[in-house]
Coordinates of all heavy atoms in Angstrom, one line a residue:
M1 N 37.8 211.5 -19.9 CA 36.4 211.1 -19.8 C 36.2 209.7 -20.5 O 36.7 209.5 -21.6 CB 35.5 212.2 -20.4 CG 34.1 211.8 -20.3 SD 33.0 213.1 -20.9 CE 33.4 214.5 -19.8
N2 N 35.5 208.9 -19.8 CA 35.3 207.5 -20.4 C 34.2 207.5 -21.4 O 33.4 208.5 -21.6 CB 35.1 206.5 -19.3 CG 33.8 206.7 -18.5 OD1 32.8 207.2 -19.0 ND2 33.8 206.2 -17.3
K3 N 34.1 206.4 -22.1 CA 33.1 206.2 -23.2 C 31.7 206.4 -22.7 O 30.9 207.0 -23.4 CB 33.4 204.9 -23.8 CG 32.5 204.6 -25.0 CD 32.9 203.3 -25.7 CE 32.1 203.0 -26.9 NZ 32.4 201.7 -27.5
A4 N 31.4 205.9 -21.5 CA 30.0 205.9 -21.0 C 29.6 207.4 -20.8 O 28.4 207.8 -21.1 CB 29.9 205.1 -19.7
R5 N 30.4 208.2 -20.2 CA 30.1 209.6 -20.0 C 30.0 210.4 -21.3 O 29.1 211.2 -21.4 CB 31.1 210.2 -19.0 CG 30.8 209.8 -17.5 CD 31.6 210.6 -16.6 NE 33.0 210.2 -16.4 CZ 33.4 209.2 -15.6 NH1 32.6 208.5 -14.9 NH2 34.7 208.8 -15.6
R6 N 30.9 210.0 -22.2 CA 30.8 210.7 -23.5 C 29.4 210.4 -24.2 O 28.8 211.2 -24.8 CB 31.9 210.2 -24.4 CG 33.2 210.9 -24.2 CD 34.2 210.7 -25.3 NE 35.5 211.1 -24.8 CZ 36.4 210.2 -24.4 NH1 36.2 208.9 -24.4 NH2 37.6 210.7 -24.0
K7 N 29.0 209.1 -24.0 CA 27.7 208.7 -24.6 C 26.6 209.5 -23.9 O 25.6 209.9 -24.6 CB 27.5 207.2 -24.4 CG 26.2 206.7 -25.1 CD 26.0 205.2 -25.0 CE 24.7 204.9 -25.6 NZ 24.2 203.6 -25.2
Q8 N 26.6 209.6 -22.6 CA 25.6 210.4 -21.9 C 25.6 211.9 -22.4 O 24.5 212.4 -22.6 CB 25.9 210.4 -20.4 CG 25.6 209.1 -19.7 CD 25.9 209.2 -18.2 OE1 27.0 209.6 -17.8 NE2 25.0 208.8 -17.4
I9 N 26.7 212.4 -22.6 CA 26.8 213.8 -23.1 C 26.2 213.9 -24.5 O 25.5 214.8 -24.8 CB 28.2 214.4 -23.0 CG1 28.6 214.6 -21.5 CG2 28.4 215.6 -23.8 CD1 30.1 215.0 -21.3
A10 N 26.5 212.9 -25.3 CA 26.0 212.9 -26.7 C 24.4 212.8 -26.6 O 23.8 213.5 -27.4 CB 26.6 211.7 -27.5
E11 N 23.9 212.1 -25.7 CA 22.4 212.0 -25.6 C 21.8 213.3 -25.1 O 20.8 213.7 -25.6 CB 22.1 210.8 -24.6 CG 22.4 209.5 -25.2 CD 22.2 208.3 -24.2 OE1 22.0 208.6 -23.0 OE2 22.4 207.2 -24.6
I12 N 22.5 213.9 -24.2 CA 22.1 215.2 -23.7 C 22.1 216.3 -24.8 O 21.2 217.1 -25.0 CB 22.9 215.7 -22.5 CG1 22.6 214.8 -21.3 CG2 22.6 217.2 -22.1 CD1 23.6 215.0 -20.1
I13 N 23.2 216.2 -25.6 CA 23.3 217.2 -26.7 C 22.2 216.9 -27.7 O 21.6 217.9 -28.2 CB 24.7 217.0 -27.4 CG1 25.8 217.6 -26.5 CG2 24.7 217.7 -28.8 CD1 27.2 217.3 -27.0
D14 N 21.8 215.7 -28.0 CA 20.7 215.4 -28.9 C 19.4 216.0 -28.4 O 18.6 216.6 -29.1 CB 20.5 213.9 -29.1 CG 21.7 213.3 -29.9 OD1 22.4 214.0 -30.6 OD2 21.8 212.0 -29.9
K15 N 19.2 215.8 -27.1 CA 17.9 216.3 -26.4 C 17.9 217.9 -26.5 O 16.9 218.5 -26.8 CB 17.8 215.9 -25.0 CG 17.5 214.4 -24.8 CD 17.5 214.0 -23.4 CE 17.4 212.5 -23.2 NZ 17.6 212.1 -21.8
L16 N 19.1 218.5 -26.2 CA 19.2 219.9 -26.2 C 19.0 220.5 -27.7 O 18.3 221.5 -27.9 CB 20.5 220.4 -25.7 CG 20.7 220.3 -24.2 CD1 22.1 220.6 -23.8 CD2 19.7 221.3 -23.5
T17 N 19.5 219.8 -28.6 CA 19.3 220.2 -30.0 C 17.9 220.1 -30.4 O 17.4 221.0 -31.1 CB 20.2 219.2 -30.9 OG1 21.5 219.4 -30.6 CG2 20.0 219.6 -32.4
E18 N 17.2 219.1 -30.0 CA 15.7 219.0 -30.3 C 14.9 220.1 -29.6 O 14.1 220.8 -30.2 CB 15.2 217.7 -29.8 CG 13.7 217.4 -30.2 CD 13.3 216.0 -29.8 OE1 14.1 215.1 -29.7 OE2 12.0 215.9 -29.5
I19 N 15.3 220.4 -28.4 CA 14.6 221.5 -27.6 C 14.9 222.9 -28.3 O 14.1 223.7 -28.5 CB 15.1 221.5 -26.2 CG1 14.5 220.3 -25.4 CG2 14.6 222.8 -25.5 CD1 15.1 220.1 -24.1
R20 N 16.2 223.1 -28.7 CA 16.6 224.3 -29.4 C 15.8 224.5 -30.7 O 15.3 225.5 -31.0 CB 18.1 224.3 -29.7 CG 18.5 225.6 -30.4 CD 19.8 225.4 -31.2 NE 19.7 224.4 -32.2 CZ 20.7 223.6 -32.5 NH1 21.9 223.8 -32.0 NH2 20.6 222.7 -33.4
D21 N 15.7 223.4 -31.4 CA 14.9 223.4 -32.7 C 13.4 223.8 -32.4 O 12.8 224.5 -33.2 CB 15.0 222.1 -33.5 CG 16.5 221.9 -34.0 OD1 17.3 222.9 -34.0 OD2 16.8 220.8 -34.4
D22 N 12.9 223.2 -31.4 CA 11.5 223.5 -31.0 C 11.3 225.0 -30.7 O 10.4 225.7 -31.1 CB 11.0 222.6 -29.9 CG 10.8 221.2 -30.3 OD1 10.8 220.9 -31.5 OD2 10.7 220.4 -29.3
I23 N 12.2 225.5 -29.9 CA 12.2 226.9 -29.5 C 12.4 227.8 -30.7 O 11.7 228.8 -30.9 CB 13.2 227.2 -28.4 CG1 12.9 226.5 -27.1 CG2 13.3 228.7 -28.1 CD1 14.0 226.5 -26.0
D24 N 13.3 227.4 -31.6 CA 13.5 228.2 -32.8 C 12.3 228.2 -33.7 O 12.0 229.3 -34.3 CB 14.8 227.7 -33.5 CG 15.3 228.7 -34.5 OD1 15.3 229.9 -34.2 OD2 15.6 228.3 -35.7
S25 N 11.6 227.2 -33.7 CA 10.4 227.1 -34.5 C 9.3 228.0 -34.0 O 8.6 228.8 -34.7 CB 9.8 225.7 -34.6 OG 8.6 225.6 -35.3
I26 N 9.2 228.1 -32.6 CA 8.3 229.0 -32.0 C 8.7 230.4 -32.3 O 7.9 231.3 -32.5 CB 8.2 228.7 -30.5 CG1 7.6 227.3 -30.2 CG2 7.4 229.8 -29.7 CD1 7.7 226.8 -28.8
R27 N 10.0 230.7 -32.2 CA 10.5 232.0 -32.5 C 10.2 232.5 -33.9 O 9.8 233.6 -34.1 CB 12.0 232.1 -32.2 CG 12.6 233.5 -32.4 CD 14.1 233.5 -32.7 NE 14.4 232.7 -33.8 CZ 14.3 233.1 -35.1 NH1 13.7 234.3 -35.4 NH2 14.7 232.3 -36.1
E28 N 10.3 231.6 -34.8 CA 10.0 231.9 -36.2 C 8.6 232.2 -36.4 O 8.2 233.1 -37.1 CB 10.4 230.7 -37.1 CG 11.9 230.5 -37.3 CD 12.3 229.3 -38.1 OE1 11.4 228.5 -38.5 OE2 13.5 229.1 -38.3
D29 N 7.7 231.4 -35.7 CA 6.2 231.7 -35.8 C 5.9 233.1 -35.2 O 5.1 233.8 -35.8 CB 5.4 230.6 -35.0 CG 5.5 229.3 -35.7 OD1 5.9 229.2 -36.9 OD2 5.2 228.3 -35.1
E30 N 6.5 233.4 -34.0 CA 6.3 234.6 -33.4 C 6.8 235.8 -34.2 O 6.2 236.9 -34.3 CB 6.9 234.6 -32.0 CG 6.4 235.7 -31.1 CD 5.0 235.6 -30.7 OE1 4.3 234.6 -30.8 OE2 4.4 236.7 -30.2
D31 N 8.0 235.6 -34.9 CA 8.6 236.6 -35.7 C 7.7 236.9 -36.9 O 7.5 238.0 -37.4 CB 9.9 236.1 -36.2 CG 10.8 237.3 -36.8 OD1 10.7 238.4 -36.3 OD2 11.5 237.0 -37.7
E32 N 7.0 235.8 -37.4 CA 6.1 236.0 -38.5 C 4.9 236.8 -38.1 O 4.4 237.7 -38.8 CB 5.6 234.7 -39.1 CG 4.8 234.8 -40.3 CD 4.4 233.4 -40.9 OE1 5.3 232.5 -40.8 OE2 3.3 233.3 -41.5
V33 N 4.4 236.6 -36.9 CA 3.3 237.4 -36.3 C 3.7 238.8 -36.2 O 3.0 239.7 -36.6 CB 2.8 236.8 -35.0 CG1 1.9 237.8 -34.3 CG2 2.2 235.4 -35.1
L34 N 4.9 239.0 -35.7 CA 5.5 240.4 -35.6 C 5.5 241.1 -36.9 O 5.2 242.3 -37.0 CB 6.8 240.3 -34.9 CG 7.6 241.6 -34.6 CD1 6.8 242.3 -33.5 CD2 9.0 241.3 -34.1
S35 N 6.0 240.4 -37.9 CA 6.1 241.0 -39.2 C 4.8 241.3 -39.9 O 4.7 242.2 -40.7 CB 6.9 240.0 -40.2 OG 8.2 239.8 -39.7
N36 N 3.7 240.7 -39.4 CA 2.4 240.9 -40.0 C 1.6 241.9 -39.2 O 0.4 242.1 -39.6 CB 1.7 239.5 -40.2 CG 2.3 238.7 -41.3 OD1 2.7 239.2 -42.3 ND2 2.4 237.4 -41.0
I37 N 2.1 242.4 -38.2 CA 1.3 243.4 -37.4 C 1.3 244.7 -38.3 O 2.4 245.1 -38.7 CB 1.9 243.7 -36.0 CG1 1.8 242.4 -35.2 CG2 1.3 244.9 -35.4 CD1 2.4 242.5 -33.8
P38 N 0.1 245.2 -38.5 CA 0.1 246.5 -39.3 C 0.9 247.6 -38.8 O 1.1 247.7 -37.5 CB -1.4 246.8 -39.3 CG -2.1 245.6 -38.8 CD -1.2 244.8 -38.0
E39 N 1.4 248.4 -39.7 CA 2.2 249.5 -39.3 C 1.6 250.5 -38.2 O 2.3 250.9 -37.3 CB 2.6 250.4 -40.5 CG 3.7 251.4 -40.3 CD 4.2 252.0 -41.6 OE1 4.3 251.3 -42.6 OE2 4.4 253.2 -41.5
N40 N 0.3 250.7 -38.3 CA -0.3 251.6 -37.3 C -0.4 251.0 -35.9 O -0.7 251.7 -35.0 CB -1.7 252.0 -37.8 CG -2.7 250.8 -37.9 OD1 -2.3 249.7 -38.1 ND2 -4.0 251.1 -37.7
L41 N -0.1 249.7 -35.8 CA -0.1 249.0 -34.5 C 1.3 248.7 -34.0 O 1.5 248.1 -32.9 CB -0.9 247.8 -34.5 CG -2.4 247.9 -34.8 CD1 -3.0 246.5 -34.9 CD2 -3.1 248.7 -33.7
Q42 N 2.3 249.2 -34.7 CA 3.7 248.9 -34.3 C 4.2 249.6 -33.1 O 5.3 249.3 -32.6 CB 4.6 249.1 -35.5 CG 4.4 248.0 -36.6 CD 5.3 248.1 -37.7 OE1 6.2 249.0 -37.8 NE2 5.2 247.2 -38.7
S43 N 3.4 250.5 -32.6 CA 3.8 251.1 -31.3 C 2.9 250.7 -30.2 O 3.0 251.2 -29.1 CB 3.8 252.7 -31.4 OG 2.5 253.1 -31.8
S44 N 2.1 249.6 -30.4 CA 1.2 249.1 -29.5 C 1.9 248.2 -28.5 O 3.0 247.7 -28.7 CB 0.1 248.4 -30.1 OG 0.5 247.2 -30.7
E45 N 1.2 247.9 -27.4 CA 1.7 247.0 -26.4 C 1.8 245.6 -26.9 O 2.8 244.9 -26.6 CB 0.7 247.0 -25.1 CG 1.2 246.2 -24.0 CD 0.3 246.2 -22.8 OE1 -0.5 247.1 -22.7 OE2 0.5 245.3 -21.9
R46 N 0.9 245.2 -27.8 CA 0.9 243.9 -28.4 C 2.2 243.7 -29.2 O 2.9 242.7 -29.1 CB -0.3 243.7 -29.3 CG -0.3 242.3 -30.0 CD -1.5 242.1 -30.8 NE -1.4 240.8 -31.4 CZ -1.8 240.5 -32.6 NH1 -2.4 241.5 -33.4 NH2 -1.7 239.3 -33.2
Y47 N 2.5 244.7 -30.0 CA 3.7 244.7 -30.8 C 5.0 244.6 -29.9 O 5.8 243.7 -30.2 CB 3.8 245.9 -31.7 CG 5.0 245.9 -32.6 CD1 4.9 245.3 -33.9 CD2 6.2 246.5 -32.3 CE1 6.0 245.3 -34.7 CE2 7.3 246.5 -33.1 CZ 7.2 245.9 -34.3 OH 8.3 245.8 -35.2
E48 N 5.0 245.4 -28.9 CA 6.2 245.4 -28.0 C 6.3 244.0 -27.3 O 7.4 243.5 -27.1 CB 6.1 246.5 -27.0 CG 6.3 247.9 -27.6 CD 6.1 249.0 -26.6 OE1 6.0 248.8 -25.4 OE2 6.0 250.2 -27.1
N49 N 5.2 243.4 -26.9 CA 5.2 242.1 -26.2 C 5.7 241.0 -27.2 O 6.5 240.2 -26.8 CB 3.8 241.7 -25.7 CG 3.4 242.5 -24.5 OD1 4.3 243.1 -23.8 ND2 2.2 242.6 -24.2
C50 N 5.2 241.1 -28.4 CA 5.6 240.2 -29.4 C 7.1 240.3 -29.7 O 7.9 239.3 -29.9 CB 4.8 240.4 -30.7 SG 4.9 239.1 -31.9
E51 N 7.6 241.6 -29.9 CA 9.0 241.8 -30.1 C 9.9 241.3 -29.0 O 10.9 240.7 -29.2 CB 9.2 243.3 -30.3 CG 10.5 243.7 -30.8 CD 10.6 245.2 -31.1 OE1 10.1 246.0 -30.3 OE2 11.2 245.6 -32.1
S52 N 9.4 241.5 -27.8 CA 10.2 241.0 -26.6 C 10.2 239.5 -26.6 O 11.3 238.9 -26.3 CB 9.5 241.6 -25.3 OG 10.2 241.1 -24.2
A53 N 9.1 238.9 -26.9 CA 9.1 237.4 -27.0 C 10.1 236.9 -28.0 O 10.8 235.9 -27.7 CB 7.7 236.9 -27.3
V54 N 10.1 237.5 -29.2 CA 11.1 237.1 -30.2 C 12.5 237.3 -29.7 O 13.3 236.3 -29.9 CB 10.9 237.9 -31.5 CG1 12.0 237.7 -32.5 CG2 9.5 237.5 -32.2
D55 N 12.8 238.4 -29.1 CA 14.2 238.6 -28.6 C 14.5 237.6 -27.5 O 15.6 237.0 -27.5 CB 14.3 240.0 -28.0 CG 14.3 241.1 -29.0 OD1 14.5 240.8 -30.2 OD2 14.0 242.3 -28.7
N56 N 13.6 237.3 -26.6 CA 13.9 236.3 -25.5 C 14.0 234.9 -26.1 O 14.9 234.2 -25.6 CB 12.8 236.4 -24.5 CG 12.9 237.6 -23.6 OD1 14.0 238.1 -23.2 ND2 11.8 238.2 -23.3
L57 N 13.2 234.5 -27.0 CA 13.3 233.2 -27.6 C 14.6 233.1 -28.4 O 15.3 232.1 -28.3 CB 12.1 232.9 -28.6 CG 10.8 232.7 -27.8 CD1 9.7 232.8 -28.8 CD2 10.8 231.4 -27.1
D58 N 15.0 234.2 -29.1 CA 16.3 234.2 -29.7 C 17.5 234.0 -28.7 O 18.4 233.2 -29.0 CB 16.5 235.5 -30.5 CG 17.6 235.4 -31.5 OD1 17.8 234.4 -32.2 OD2 18.4 236.4 -31.6
S59 N 17.4 234.7 -27.6 CA 18.4 234.5 -26.6 C 18.4 233.1 -26.0 O 19.5 232.5 -25.7 CB 18.2 235.5 -25.4 OG 18.4 236.8 -25.9
A60 N 17.3 232.5 -25.9 CA 17.2 231.1 -25.4 C 17.9 230.2 -26.4 O 18.6 229.3 -25.9 CB 15.7 230.7 -25.2
V61 N 17.6 230.3 -27.6 CA 18.3 229.5 -28.7 C 19.8 229.7 -28.6 O 20.5 228.7 -28.6 CB 17.7 229.8 -30.1 CG1 18.6 229.2 -31.2 CG2 16.3 229.4 -30.2
S62 N 20.2 230.9 -28.5 CA 21.7 231.2 -28.4 C 22.3 230.6 -27.1 O 23.4 230.0 -27.2 CB 21.9 232.7 -28.4 OG 23.2 233.0 -28.3
G63 N 21.6 230.7 -26.0 CA 22.1 230.1 -24.8 C 22.2 228.6 -24.9 O 23.2 228.0 -24.4
I64 N 21.2 227.9 -25.5 CA 21.3 226.5 -25.7 C 22.5 226.1 -26.6 O 23.2 225.1 -26.3 CB 20.0 225.9 -26.2 CG1 18.9 226.0 -25.1 CG2 20.1 224.4 -26.6 CD1 17.5 225.7 -25.6
D65 N 22.7 226.9 -27.6 CA 23.8 226.7 -28.5 C 25.1 226.7 -27.7 O 26.1 225.9 -27.9 CB 23.9 227.7 -29.7 CG 22.9 227.4 -30.8 OD1 22.5 226.2 -30.9 OD2 22.5 228.3 -31.5
D66 N 25.2 227.7 -26.8 CA 26.4 227.8 -25.9 C 26.6 226.6 -25.1 O 27.7 226.1 -24.9 CB 26.3 229.1 -25.0 CG 26.5 230.4 -25.8 OD1 26.9 230.3 -27.0 OD2 26.1 231.4 -25.2
V67 N 25.5 226.1 -24.5 CA 25.6 224.9 -23.6 C 26.0 223.7 -24.5 O 26.9 222.9 -24.0 CB 24.2 224.6 -23.0 CG1 24.2 223.2 -22.3 CG2 23.8 225.7 -22.0
I68 N 25.5 223.6 -25.7 CA 25.9 222.5 -26.5 C 27.4 222.5 -26.8 O 28.1 221.5 -26.8 CB 25.1 222.4 -27.8 CG1 23.6 222.0 -27.5 CG2 25.7 221.5 -28.9 CD1 22.7 222.2 -28.7
D69 N 27.9 223.7 -27.1 CA 29.3 223.9 -27.4 C 30.2 223.5 -26.2 O 31.2 222.8 -26.3 CB 29.6 225.4 -27.7 CG 29.1 225.8 -29.1 OD1 28.8 224.9 -29.9 OD2 29.0 227.0 -29.4
Y70 N 29.8 223.9 -25.0 CA 30.5 223.5 -23.8 C 30.5 222.0 -23.6 O 31.6 221.4 -23.2 CB 29.9 224.2 -22.5 CG 30.2 225.7 -22.4 CD1 29.1 226.6 -22.2 CD2 31.4 226.2 -22.5 CE1 29.3 227.9 -22.2 CE2 31.6 227.6 -22.5 CZ 30.6 228.4 -22.3 OH 30.8 229.8 -22.2
L71 N 29.4 221.4 -23.8 CA 29.3 220.0 -23.7 C 30.2 219.2 -24.7 O 30.8 218.2 -24.4 CB 27.9 219.5 -23.8 CG 27.0 219.8 -22.6 CD1 25.5 219.5 -22.9 CD2 27.4 219.2 -21.3
E72 N 30.2 219.7 -25.9 CA 31.0 219.1 -26.9 C 32.5 219.2 -26.6 O 33.3 218.3 -26.7 CB 30.8 219.8 -28.3 CG 29.4 219.3 -28.9 CD 29.0 220.1 -30.1 OE1 29.6 221.2 -30.4 OE2 28.2 219.6 -30.9
C73 N 32.9 220.4 -26.0 CA 34.3 220.6 -25.6 C 34.6 219.6 -24.4 O 35.7 219.1 -24.4 CB 34.5 222.0 -25.2 SG 34.6 223.2 -26.6
A74 N 33.7 219.5 -23.5 CA 33.9 218.6 -22.4 C 34.1 217.2 -22.8 O 34.8 216.4 -22.2 CB 32.8 218.7 -21.4
A75 N 33.4 216.8 -23.9 CA 33.4 215.4 -24.3 C 34.6 215.0 -25.1 O 34.9 213.9 -25.4 CB 32.2 215.0 -25.1
E76 N 35.4 216.0 -25.6 CA 36.6 215.8 -26.4 C 37.7 215.1 -25.6 O 37.9 215.2 -24.5 CB 37.1 217.1 -27.0 CG 36.2 217.6 -28.0 CD 36.6 218.9 -28.6 OE1 37.7 219.5 -28.2 OE2 36.0 219.4 -29.5

């Protein structure tokens, strides 16, 4: 791979890292909301939706980490 393509990949990795960090920040906020839901509401639909959002956001962060790893390997 030539230098120009490596540079393009590095720029994409930077963008993905920023996006991952933004998603992770949202996940942390949602996780805090989840933690503050009173115990008597922990079987409610709101709790389940919040829990599902945290799980999905966590999966999104993990998926972006995987993409970054693949790109780094490709650029080597």
Side-chain angles (χ1 to χ4, degrees):
M1 180 173 298
N2 68 25
K3 186 176 179 178
R5 283 192 278 276
R6 280 194 196 99
K7 183 178 180 199
Q8 285 179 310
I9 289 175
E11 290 170 358
I12 292 168
I13 289 171
D14 289 343
K15 291 175 187 175
L16 287 170
T17 300
E18 184 177 330
I19 291 168
R20 181 203 56 212
D21 292 346
D22 290 344
I23 294 170
D24 195 43
S25 177
I26 293 167
R27 186 202 55 77
E28 288 173 358
D29 292 344
E30 194 69 14
D31 195 39
E32 186 174 328
V33 169
L34 183 65
S35 296
N36 290 321
I37 293 177
E39 190 173 319
N40 64 330
L41 296 176
Q42 290 184 357
S43 61
S44 69
E45 183 178 344
R46 178 176 179 220
Y47 183 87
E48 290 176 12
N49 289 341
C50 191
E51 187 175 46
S52 178
V54 169
D55 290 343
N56 287 320
L57 291 166
D58 193 45
S59 293
V61 168
S62 179
I64 292 172
D65 283 336
D66 289 344
V67 171
I68 291 170
D69 289 343
Y70 288 127
L71 290 171
E72 288 173 340
C73 288
E76 290 179 355

